[in-house]
Amino acid sequence: MRRVIVGQEEVLEQIMIGLFVGGHCLITGLPGTAKTLLVRTMAQTLGLVYKRIQFTPDLMPSDITGTDIIEEDPANGRRTWTFIKGPIFANILLADEINRTPPKTQSALLEAMQELSCTVRGNGYKLDPPFFVAGDAEPDRTGGTYPLPEAQLDRFLFQHGARLSDRGSRRCRWWT
């Protein structure tokens, strides 16, 4: 990983700790600072399933968790509900620009991050361990972001803002 991500030793170490202890990490920073590359490289290096969700103002909770669709059997015409898994069914999930979507959609991650499961139409689905969320939050420069609620922030073991934001040199903070 250090061959791909240069100069972020502390962030690399703490993200790996987050994964190994079953926590999650929130990375804040400007675009182009290798946040996505870092998370994708970690998944590839460890041979884990990686998915990315681009959070936008119109993203719905079912876009994250998955949804039931009706399928018709062409042989007999019988219709059945089939669950189509969403991107939350990954080992490493990058929640890209998590603060660009409304709280209703942000909260779709809460059950998964805490319980390692998700509920769709009243049906519960377990997520395969390890399950690690790396949330990427962009600095609010234009007023187009939604603050993360305390319930969401509590799910993140680490928050990184290491020289990636205009807040100075704060590297890491433990959430209590």
Side-chain angles (χ1 to χ4, degrees):
M1 287 182 56
R2 286 185 173 103
R3 290 183 194 158
V4 177
I5 307 297
V6 178
Q8 295 292 333
E9 303 297 324
E10 185 178 348
V11 174
L12 283 171
E13 181 179 320
Q14 291 171 349
I15 286 181
M16 294 297 288
I17 289 170
L19 171 67
F20 293 140
V21 301
H24 309 284
C25 292
L26 181 64
I27 307 168
T28 57
L30 298 171
T33 53
K35 299 179 300 284
T36 301
L37 179 63
L38 184 147
V39 176
R40 186 177 59 233
T41 301
M42 181 175 71
Q44 290 172 343
T45 301
L46 297 173
L48 297 172
V49 177
Y50 164 82
K51 301 263 176 103
R52 177 183 170 274
I53 301 170
Q54 180 65 50
F55 281 75
T56 60
D58 61 345
L59 191 72
M60 300 297 292
S62 62
D63 295 330
I64 296 169
T65 60
T67 190
D68 285 318
I69 62 168
I70 297 176
E71 289 189 318
E72 185 173 332
D73 185 339
N76 62 17
R78 186 172 184 206
R79 295 179 183 168
T80 58
W81 286 102
T82 302
F83 179 64
I84 305 298
K85 292 179 178 181
I88 204 166
F89 289 89
N91 300 119
I92 296 183
L93 177 68
L94 176 61
D96 204 358
E97 298 181 349
I98 193 171
N99 59 336
R100 297 250 184 246
T101 199
K104 177 180 178 180
T105 303
Q106 290 173 1
S107 68
L109 283 179
L110 291 178
E111 178 185 2
M113 292 171 74
Q114 184 66 35
E115 306 296 331
L116 294 175
S117 66
C118 71
T119 305
V120 177
R121 285 185 9 111
N123 297 314
Y125 299 93
K126 291 287 182 192
L127 303 176
D128 293 332
F131 179 69
F132 174 77
V133 174
D136 166 2
E138 295 296 322
D140 184 7
R141 297 175 160 251
T142 62
T145 62
Y146 298 86
L148 296 174
E150 278 300 316
Q152 185 90 16
L153 288 174
D154 286 348
R155 301 304 190 273
F156 292 103
L157 178 61
F158 288 110
Q159 177 186 10
H160 300 279
R163 290 178 292 177
L164 304 179
S165 71
D166 24 335
R167 291 192 170 161
S169 62
R170 191 182 78 191
R171 297 267 315 159
C172 177
R173 175 174 177 257
W174 283 93
W175 288 103
T176 56

